[in-house]
Amino acid sequence: MKYSTAEKSFSRKILRLMAILISLAIFLGIGGIIYYHQSIGPVNVQNGELVVIEIPKGASTLKIASILRENHLIKNDLSFRILSKLSKAEGKMQAGRYQMSTSMNAREIIDNLIKGSIFKDAAKFTIPEGFELKQIVDRLESLGLIDREKFMELVNNGDFQYEFLKEIPKGENRLEGFLFPDTYEIAKGATEEEILTKMLDRFDEIFTDDYYHRTKKLNMTIQEVVTLASIIEREAQLEKERPIISGIFHNRLNKGMLLQSCATVQYVLGERKANLSLKDIDIDSPYNTYKNIGLPPAPIASPGKASLEAALYPSETDYYYFVVKSDGEHSFSKTYEEHLRAKNGN
């Protein structure tokens, strides 16, 4: 059978198109294979961070992949699921608590989950709201979790890449206020840097984008917000009073008045005296808000979430004074005369 010139030309075009499609398929296939192998590699091969995860009972491969990705242990959910299927690991990965490293690849993670290498050697510690840096260090040292000198060197001069620390220069007690108060679980033998990172990660989690936007709206810096929150934390005993006390401090700051916070003086003294003397409130320090207008230069303790929110979202109030009553609540006043009567119990 003879073909016309037009038919031959069409056949050649079809062959060329098929060749292009085959080449493209091969190229995409190779690219897909390369991507797949990259995506099951370690998240951070150079500087692995220890992470503790909990795999719940009955968790599907989809759920396990989601937990691993959320904890930055794998790069891609789908690639992990494909590897699990190819490795015949589906249904074999066990529930429990695990210690993983971001330097592990997906195959190693699957092996651990199949073996059931449940993480048992954990250490727990709790940092209460309102703890000062020195109290945090004392507690961690007493639990045998840190070397005090190494820890403080990192506190003062460690390279921590967080948005909230960008404007805070390295120096003495740099992380005061930013080690978030909470209960933590760490691997026994965790380094000082890993402990600090865990606490700073928690602050980073709590201090949301909304908080950053609100900080700018208040025309404050993050350090100023945390400093105010730390004072609120130390002054307020009842959660319902935090926004009111914050409103009072905001009012005084806006008026250029002294904050006159006993908590800031207690920070300077290094002890939490129930009653301050005239000599105490006359102490020469930038942290003494009885002598210096405005906020102190840095936080005086670690504030919890409620105090951070109070600092950012104060109650709108006409109050300028408060004094604690015998039951732990505060009496709030609009004028100094009212305040004096409240102090005298009238």
PDB file of all heavy atoms in Angstrom, residues 49-54 71 73 97-100 119 122 185-187 198:
ATOM      1  N   GLU A  49      16.936  18.188  65.891  1.00  0.00           N
ATOM      2  CA  GLU A  49      16.310  18.581  67.161  1.00  0.00           C
ATOM      3  C   GLU A  49      15.479  17.419  67.680  1.00  0.00           C
ATOM      4  O   GLU A  49      14.759  16.770  66.924  1.00  0.00           O
ATOM      5  CB  GLU A  49      15.417  19.794  66.941  1.00  0.00           C
ATOM      6  CG  GLU A  49      14.675  20.242  68.183  1.00  0.00           C
ATOM      7  CD  GLU A  49      13.664  21.329  67.871  1.00  0.00           C
ATOM      8  OE1 GLU A  49      13.715  21.910  66.776  1.00  0.00           O
ATOM      9  OE2 GLU A  49      12.800  21.570  68.746  1.00  0.00           O
ATOM     10  N   LEU A  50      15.592  17.129  68.966  1.00  0.00           N
ATOM     11  CA  LEU A  50      14.800  16.050  69.558  1.00  0.00           C
ATOM     12  C   LEU A  50      13.354  16.494  69.728  1.00  0.00           C
ATOM     13  O   LEU A  50      13.087  17.594  70.218  1.00  0.00           O
ATOM     14  CB  LEU A  50      15.384  15.633  70.903  1.00  0.00           C
ATOM     15  CG  LEU A  50      16.739  14.919  70.865  1.00  0.00           C
ATOM     16  CD1 LEU A  50      17.232  14.659  72.275  1.00  0.00           C
ATOM     17  CD2 LEU A  50      16.635  13.609  70.097  1.00  0.00           C
ATOM     18  N   VAL A  51      12.446  15.635  69.311  1.00  0.00           N
ATOM     19  CA  VAL A  51      11.019  15.936  69.407  1.00  0.00           C
ATOM     20  C   VAL A  51      10.308  14.742  70.024  1.00  0.00           C
ATOM     21  O   VAL A  51      10.570  13.597  69.650  1.00  0.00           O
ATOM     22  CB  VAL A  51      10.411  16.229  68.015  1.00  0.00           C
ATOM     23  CG1 VAL A  51       8.931  16.567  68.138  1.00  0.00           C
ATOM     24  CG2 VAL A  51      11.162  17.343  67.317  1.00  0.00           C
ATOM     25  N   VAL A  52       9.440  15.004  70.974  1.00  0.00           N
ATOM     26  CA  VAL A  52       8.637  13.950  71.586  1.00  0.00           C
ATOM     27  C   VAL A  52       7.235  14.013  70.987  1.00  0.00           C
ATOM     28  O   VAL A  52       6.603  15.067  70.991  1.00  0.00           O
ATOM     29  CB  VAL A  52       8.571  14.110  73.113  1.00  0.00           C
ATOM     30  CG1 VAL A  52       7.668  13.043  73.716  1.00  0.00           C
ATOM     31  CG2 VAL A  52       9.963  14.023  73.717  1.00  0.00           C
ATOM     32  N   ILE A  53       6.767  12.884  70.455  1.00  0.00           N
ATOM     33  CA  ILE A  53       5.434  12.839  69.850  1.00  0.00           C
ATOM     34  C   ILE A  53       4.602  11.726  70.485  1.00  0.00           C
ATOM     35  O   ILE A  53       5.139  10.798  71.070  1.00  0.00           O
ATOM     36  CB  ILE A  53       5.501  12.615  68.326  1.00  0.00           C
ATOM     37  CG1 ILE A  53       6.189  11.278  68.004  1.00  0.00           C
ATOM     38  CG2 ILE A  53       6.188  13.777  67.632  1.00  0.00           C
ATOM     39  CD1 ILE A  53       6.044  10.854  66.566  1.00  0.00           C
ATOM     40  N   GLU A  54       3.304  11.869  70.351  1.00  0.00           N
ATOM     41  CA  GLU A  54       2.366  10.870  70.866  1.00  0.00           C
ATOM     42  C   GLU A  54       1.535  10.348  69.699  1.00  0.00           C
ATOM     43  O   GLU A  54       0.852  11.113  69.019  1.00  0.00           O
ATOM     44  CB  GLU A  54       1.450  11.489  71.916  1.00  0.00           C
ATOM     45  CG  GLU A  54       0.530  10.512  72.603  1.00  0.00           C
ATOM     46  CD  GLU A  54       1.199   9.798  73.771  1.00  0.00           C
ATOM     47  OE1 GLU A  54       2.101  10.377  74.401  1.00  0.00           O
ATOM     48  OE2 GLU A  54       0.807   8.651  74.040  1.00  0.00           O
ATOM     49  N   ASN A  71       4.959  18.105  63.553  1.00  0.00           N
ATOM     50  CA  ASN A  71       6.107  18.202  64.459  1.00  0.00           C
ATOM     51  C   ASN A  71       7.433  18.315  63.713  1.00  0.00           C
ATOM     52  O   ASN A  71       8.498  18.147  64.300  1.00  0.00           O
ATOM     53  CB  ASN A  71       6.137  16.983  65.394  1.00  0.00           C
ATOM     54  CG  ASN A  71       5.091  17.063  66.481  1.00  0.00           C
ATOM     55  OD1 ASN A  71       5.305  17.688  67.517  1.00  0.00           O
ATOM     56  ND2 ASN A  71       3.936  16.443  66.246  1.00  0.00           N
ATOM     57  N   LEU A  73       8.919  16.483  61.503  1.00  0.00           N
ATOM     58  CA  LEU A  73       9.750  15.287  61.426  1.00  0.00           C
ATOM     59  C   LEU A  73       9.792  14.703  60.015  1.00  0.00           C
ATOM     60  O   LEU A  73      10.691  13.920  59.697  1.00  0.00           O
ATOM     61  CB  LEU A  73       9.240  14.232  62.410  1.00  0.00           C
ATOM     62  CG  LEU A  73       9.513  14.550  63.890  1.00  0.00           C
ATOM     63  CD1 LEU A  73       8.694  13.647  64.793  1.00  0.00           C
ATOM     64  CD2 LEU A  73      10.997  14.417  64.209  1.00  0.00           C
ATOM     65  N   ARG A  97       4.354   6.847  72.928  1.00  0.00           N
ATOM     66  CA  ARG A  97       5.174   8.068  72.956  1.00  0.00           C
ATOM     67  C   ARG A  97       6.559   7.746  72.429  1.00  0.00           C
ATOM     68  O   ARG A  97       7.183   6.774  72.828  1.00  0.00           O
ATOM     69  CB  ARG A  97       5.253   8.606  74.381  1.00  0.00           C
ATOM     70  CG  ARG A  97       6.086   9.866  74.506  1.00  0.00           C
ATOM     71  CD  ARG A  97       5.849  10.525  75.842  1.00  0.00           C
ATOM     72  NE  ARG A  97       4.498  11.066  75.897  1.00  0.00           N
ATOM     73  CZ  ARG A  97       3.886  11.413  77.016  1.00  0.00           C
ATOM     74  NH1 ARG A  97       4.485  11.254  78.169  1.00  0.00           N
ATOM     75  NH2 ARG A  97       2.674  11.908  76.998  1.00  0.00           N
ATOM     76  N   TYR A  98       7.026   8.602  71.538  1.00  0.00           N
ATOM     77  CA  TYR A  98       8.306   8.370  70.876  1.00  0.00           C
ATOM     78  C   TYR A  98       9.193   9.605  70.953  1.00  0.00           C
ATOM     79  O   TYR A  98       8.700  10.733  70.968  1.00  0.00           O
ATOM     80  CB  TYR A  98       8.105   8.036  69.394  1.00  0.00           C
ATOM     81  CG  TYR A  98       7.397   6.726  69.127  1.00  0.00           C
ATOM     82  CD1 TYR A  98       6.009   6.646  69.221  1.00  0.00           C
ATOM     83  CD2 TYR A  98       8.096   5.580  68.790  1.00  0.00           C
ATOM     84  CE1 TYR A  98       5.352   5.455  68.973  1.00  0.00           C
ATOM     85  CE2 TYR A  98       7.449   4.377  68.541  1.00  0.00           C
ATOM     86  CZ  TYR A  98       6.071   4.325  68.639  1.00  0.00           C
ATOM     87  OH  TYR A  98       5.428   3.144  68.400  1.00  0.00           O
ATOM     88  N   GLN A  99      10.466   9.355  70.973  1.00  0.00           N
ATOM     89  CA  GLN A  99      11.449  10.426  70.818  1.00  0.00           C
ATOM     90  C   GLN A  99      12.041  10.298  69.428  1.00  0.00           C
ATOM     91  O   GLN A  99      12.609   9.271  69.069  1.00  0.00           O
ATOM     92  CB  GLN A  99      12.566  10.322  71.853  1.00  0.00           C
ATOM     93  CG  GLN A  99      13.662  11.373  71.657  1.00  0.00           C
ATOM     94  CD  GLN A  99      14.789  11.168  72.630  1.00  0.00           C
ATOM     95  OE1 GLN A  99      14.586  11.204  73.836  1.00  0.00           O
ATOM     96  NE2 GLN A  99      15.992  10.933  72.121  1.00  0.00           N
ATOM     97  N   MET A 100      11.869  11.329  68.629  1.00  0.00           N
ATOM     98  CA  MET A 100      12.395  11.345  67.270  1.00  0.00           C
ATOM     99  C   MET A 100      13.323  12.543  67.112  1.00  0.00           C
ATOM    100  O   MET A 100      13.301  13.480  67.908  1.00  0.00           O
ATOM    101  CB  MET A 100      11.258  11.444  66.247  1.00  0.00           C
ATOM    102  CG  MET A 100      10.217  10.342  66.345  1.00  0.00           C
ATOM    103  SD  MET A 100      10.802   8.775  65.711  1.00  0.00           S
ATOM    104  CE  MET A 100       9.268   7.836  65.704  1.00  0.00           C
ATOM    105  N   PHE A 119       9.143   6.076  73.893  1.00  0.00           N
ATOM    106  CA  PHE A 119      10.019   6.958  74.647  1.00  0.00           C
ATOM    107  C   PHE A 119       9.600   6.968  76.116  1.00  0.00           C
ATOM    108  O   PHE A 119       8.547   7.454  76.473  1.00  0.00           O
ATOM    109  CB  PHE A 119       9.925   8.362  74.046  1.00  0.00           C
ATOM    110  CG  PHE A 119      10.708   9.401  74.784  1.00  0.00           C
ATOM    111  CD1 PHE A 119      12.003   9.170  75.182  1.00  0.00           C
ATOM    112  CD2 PHE A 119      10.140  10.627  75.074  1.00  0.00           C
ATOM    113  CE1 PHE A 119      12.727  10.132  75.856  1.00  0.00           C
ATOM    114  CE2 PHE A 119      10.850  11.596  75.746  1.00  0.00           C
ATOM    115  CZ  PHE A 119      12.148  11.354  76.131  1.00  0.00           C
ATOM    116  N   ALA A 122      11.724  10.104  80.115  1.00  0.00           N
ATOM    117  CA  ALA A 122      11.365  11.512  80.008  1.00  0.00           C
ATOM    118  C   ALA A 122      11.534  12.216  81.351  1.00  0.00           C
ATOM    119  O   ALA A 122      11.450  11.589  82.403  1.00  0.00           O
ATOM    120  CB  ALA A 122       9.930  11.648  79.530  1.00  0.00           C
ATOM    121  N   GLU A 185       7.858  18.396  78.969  1.00  0.00           N
ATOM    122  CA  GLU A 185       8.404  17.045  79.012  1.00  0.00           C
ATOM    123  C   GLU A 185       9.566  16.986  78.033  1.00  0.00           C
ATOM    124  O   GLU A 185       9.416  17.325  76.853  1.00  0.00           O
ATOM    125  CB  GLU A 185       7.343  16.017  78.635  1.00  0.00           C
ATOM    126  CG  GLU A 185       7.817  14.587  78.793  1.00  0.00           C
ATOM    127  CD  GLU A 185       6.681  13.582  78.683  1.00  0.00           C
ATOM    128  OE1 GLU A 185       5.540  13.947  79.020  1.00  0.00           O
ATOM    129  OE2 GLU A 185       6.938  12.449  78.255  1.00  0.00           O
ATOM    130  N   ILE A 186      10.720  16.601  78.515  1.00  0.00           N
ATOM    131  CA  ILE A 186      11.920  16.575  77.683  1.00  0.00           C
ATOM    132  C   ILE A 186      12.616  15.229  77.824  1.00  0.00           C
ATOM    133  O   ILE A 186      12.368  14.484  78.773  1.00  0.00           O
ATOM    134  CB  ILE A 186      12.907  17.699  78.077  1.00  0.00           C
ATOM    135  CG1 ILE A 186      13.313  17.539  79.546  1.00  0.00           C
ATOM    136  CG2 ILE A 186      12.314  19.069  77.809  1.00  0.00           C
ATOM    137  CD1 ILE A 186      14.458  18.402  79.970  1.00  0.00           C
ATOM    138  N   ALA A 187      13.488  14.945  76.886  1.00  0.00           N
ATOM    139  CA  ALA A 187      14.295  13.730  76.985  1.00  0.00           C
ATOM    140  C   ALA A 187      15.340  13.908  78.074  1.00  0.00           C
ATOM    141  O   ALA A 187      15.920  14.981  78.230  1.00  0.00           O
ATOM    142  CB  ALA A 187      14.990  13.456  75.654  1.00  0.00           C
ATOM    143  N   LYS A 198      12.749  24.684  73.549  1.00  0.00           N
ATOM    144  CA  LYS A 198      11.394  24.181  73.811  1.00  0.00           C
ATOM    145  C   LYS A 198      10.540  25.260  74.477  1.00  0.00           C
ATOM    146  O   LYS A 198       9.373  25.434  74.131  1.00  0.00           O
ATOM    147  CB  LYS A 198      11.470  22.947  74.703  1.00  0.00           C
ATOM    148  CG  LYS A 198      10.237  22.064  74.633  1.00  0.00           C
ATOM    149  CD  LYS A 198      10.498  20.740  75.296  1.00  0.00           C
ATOM    150  CE  LYS A 198       9.340  19.766  75.085  1.00  0.00           C
ATOM    151  NZ  LYS A 198       9.243  19.283  73.696  1.00  0.00           N
TER     152      LYS A 198
END
